[in-house]
Amino acid sequence: MEYPQIVLKPKEEGRLREGHLWAFSNEVAQAPSGMAPGALADLVHSGSGFLGRGFYHPHSLIAFRMLTAQKEDIDETFFEKRFCEAQAWREMLYPNIRSYRWIFGESDRLPGLVVDRYGDYLSVQLLSAGMEKLRALILPLIEKIASPKGIVLRTDAGLRELEGLPQASPEVVFGQVPEEVEIELENGRYFVNLLKGQKTGFYFDQRDNRQALAGFCRGRKVLDAFCYSGGFGIAAARAGAREVVFNDSSEDALALAQKNAELNAASTIKTFVHGDALKLLDRQAPGGPYEVVSLDPPAFARSKKHLAVALKAYEKLNAKAMSVLPRGGLLATSSCSHHVDRAFFMQMLRRAARKAGRSFRLVELRSQAKDHPILLSMPETEYLKFAILQVV
Ligand code: SAH
């Protein structure tokens, strides 16, 4: 099959040759007029010829998203192969656990497609005009491969806006989906609401980090601040934490955390505090009761423009948590802001430690879970920073 050609400007091909999947609008020299957003096209370069095949968008900052660097047809067979490859990797990562991020967009070389699997149920996000355009091919294919009982389409995802796609309430597009689905992961059992929950219902991206932190929680009193459905606290409780305090500013989230906590680790004392995490930390005496504090706030930096303000907010929050820990205590701290890279994150933590007047040992520096792979040549696919620090 022939595809229309998008011509890249001279000297702009290096990043794509290395394995990056995007060409930005200012890097495109020429494109046929009248192409629909998300149309399939070839990206070519005057010097080196064919670069890859993918989606073109005439009005998005990301003008081209590569699906393949081969001259292969983009059809059902192509997607079936990609979906099965993605599935095989997750099955290897989490054997016998049927809940994971099955497809993570660019990281699975499926730009703009996100699929989370909750056992027999799937939650799908179409985040690029190209994937939206192929909806009638993709949804039945996912259904064929996974044989789910139900599929939810999360058309409420904010990223859709950048591609000029409408936002709408989530809908069940196949089968039936109960109000709540119960999943069992390596470190906890959880109820997930696929239609009303945050994002697709559950944060799989922290699963490996919850496991990493849990190993330090035996016999200790833990604060799970910004808990949402309780992932960190529940993993800690299952690993033998003496006591866990869950905190979230959303009443719905806290109610969900409570419901989930009841499914797990009966012998751990659990309490639930509604309200602002910073205020909760403010009420603690220095060296106070928590031996482990987990901070997992929402993204403070929504765009590059907000970076400086966001870094200050992270610093303030982390300094507060650092100051309430006793010697030997642990801080597990996260940032899911794309724009805060590892270097910024580490610098922010150093400043926070100085502000708190404490010294720390860096126990672990981690990123998103392995079901959210990172492409070596595409830094944009990495967004989560997670550090475990110990007061020395
Ligand atoms: N730790 C969770 C994910 C956290 S998502 C997990 O492992 O699944 C971020 C959460 O922070 C959301 O549930 C949101 O309601 C909550 N939140 C936002 N601002 C907050 C604040 N100021 N204080 C406490 N919680 C807050």
Side-chain angles (χ1 to χ4, degrees):
M1 221 183 131
E2 292 286 313
Y3 295 91
Q5 293 200 338
I6 311 297
V7 184
L8 197 69
K9 285 185 183 164
K11 298 198 191 123
E12 302 290 4
E13 83 284 17
R15 199 180 66 242
L16 286 130
R17 283 266 179 244
E18 273 180 6
H20 199 285
L21 301 180
W22 295 343
F24 296 99
S25 56
N26 63 331
E27 296 166 348
V28 170
Q30 208 185 310
S33 61
M35 280 185 72
L40 286 165
D42 283 351
L43 187 69
V44 300
H45 182 255
S46 52
S48 51
F50 177 84
L51 288 168
R53 191 158 277 175
F55 300 132
Y56 175 67
H57 197 310
H59 316 301
S60 173
L61 190 65
I62 304 168
F64 182 84
R65 295 171 186 253
M66 198 188 290
L67 284 157
T68 173
Q70 311 295 320
K71 286 186 179 161
E72 56 189 320
D73 284 344
I74 308 301
D75 54 13
E76 192 177 322
T77 313
F78 170 84
F79 285 108
E80 182 159 7
K81 204 168 115 218
R82 284 283 160 89
F83 293 177
C84 290
E85 274 170 17
Q87 181 169 270
W89 177 234
R90 275 60 175 189
E91 284 174 351
M92 177 164 186
L93 292 174
Y94 306 107
N96 307 318
I97 296 176
R98 295 181 58 248
S99 297
Y100 42 71
R101 176 146 296 189
W102 170 12
I103 293 165
F104 183 43
E106 273 71 355
S107 298
D108 286 296
R109 293 186 303 153
L110 291 162
L113 178 64
V114 169
V115 183
D116 279 342
R117 179 177 200 147
Y118 298 104
D120 289 327
Y121 302 92
L122 301 172
S123 179
V124 177
Q125 293 180 311
L126 304 170
L127 304 172
S128 63
M131 287 297 176
E132 176 70 57
K133 220 164 177 292
L134 294 175
R135 177 176 170 159
L137 183 154
I138 283 169
L139 292 178
L141 192 56
I142 285 174
E143 188 191 313
K144 182 179 116 184
I145 295 170
S147 310
K149 289 186 180 155
I151 303 180
V152 169
L153 192 61
R154 293 294 302 240
T155 18
D156 55 338
L159 278 177
R160 285 173 61 86
E161 223 174 281
L162 301 177
E163 290 276 300
L165 299 171
Q167 274 171 271
S169 300
E171 53 173 324
V172 176
V173 289
F174 169 76
Q176 285 182 345
V177 177
E179 173 91 10
E180 272 173 339
V181 169
E182 193 183 328
I183 60 166
E184 172 134 31
L185 301 187
E186 55 284 2
N187 45 26
R189 286 167 64 200
Y190 305 90
F191 285 113
V192 180
N193 188 322
L194 274 71
L195 283 159
K196 294 195 195 124
Q198 295 182 20
K199 302 284 164 77
T200 73
F202 186 80
Y203 293 100
F204 285 123
D205 56 357
Q206 289 280 27
R207 67 194 297 172
D208 298 358
N209 296 335
R210 293 182 190 121
Q211 192 87 323
L213 181 64
F216 300 106
C217 293
R218 173 172 294 279
R220 298 181 124 169
K221 177 161 177 170
V222 178
L223 172 63
D224 179 0
F226 307 88
C227 67
Y228 181 50
S229 54
F232 280 101
I234 286 166
R238 302 227 332 184
R242 184 177 82 248
E243 191 173 340
V244 178
V245 175
F246 295 86
N247 157 256
D248 203 286
S249 62
S250 147
E251 287 199 42
D252 287 349
L254 201 64
L256 179 61
Q258 181 152 12
K259 196 168 166 187
N260 286 338
E262 280 159 14
L263 287 176
N264 295 275
S267 59
T268 301
I269 303 164
K270 305 172 193 96
T271 37
F272 303 86
V273 181
H274 174 239
D276 177 34
L278 197 62
K279 289 199 181 124
L280 169 67
L281 289 166
D282 257 332
R283 294 196 294 271
Q284 313 304 315
Y290 301 112
E291 295 151 294
V292 179
V293 173
S294 165
L295 298 178
D296 185 17
F300 287 166
R302 296 258 169 229
S303 73
K304 246 190 186 142
K305 211 170 59 205
H306 299 122
L307 183 61
V309 175
L311 285 170
K312 281 281 164 215
Y314 281 120
E315 186 183 313
K316 187 171 174 197
L317 176 67
N318 279 276
K320 193 81 240 168
M322 286 169 168
S323 67
V324 306
L325 285 166
R327 272 204 74 192
L330 293 158
L331 173 66
T333 181
S334 306
S335 164
C336 59
S337 298
H338 267 284
H339 303 283
V340 176
D341 65 16
R342 258 167 201 252
F344 276 130
F345 182 65
M346 294 309 289
Q347 186 188 53
M348 175 279 291
L349 290 175
R350 285 184 199 107
R351 288 185 177 156
R354 191 168 78 183
K355 200 167 177 179
R358 313 297 299 268
S359 294
F360 289 87
R361 168 188 288 159
L362 178 61
V363 181
E364 286 201 46
L365 182 57
R366 308 172 53 91
S367 186
Q368 62 235 34
K370 290 186 270 307
D371 56 358
H372 291 58
I374 297 165
L375 288 185
L376 176 64
S377 301
M378 195 166 174
E380 291 88 342
T381 56
E382 176 173 15
Y383 65 97
L384 188 63
K385 283 77 47 193
F386 175 82
I388 301 179
L389 304 173
Q390 185 180 36
V391 185
V392 289

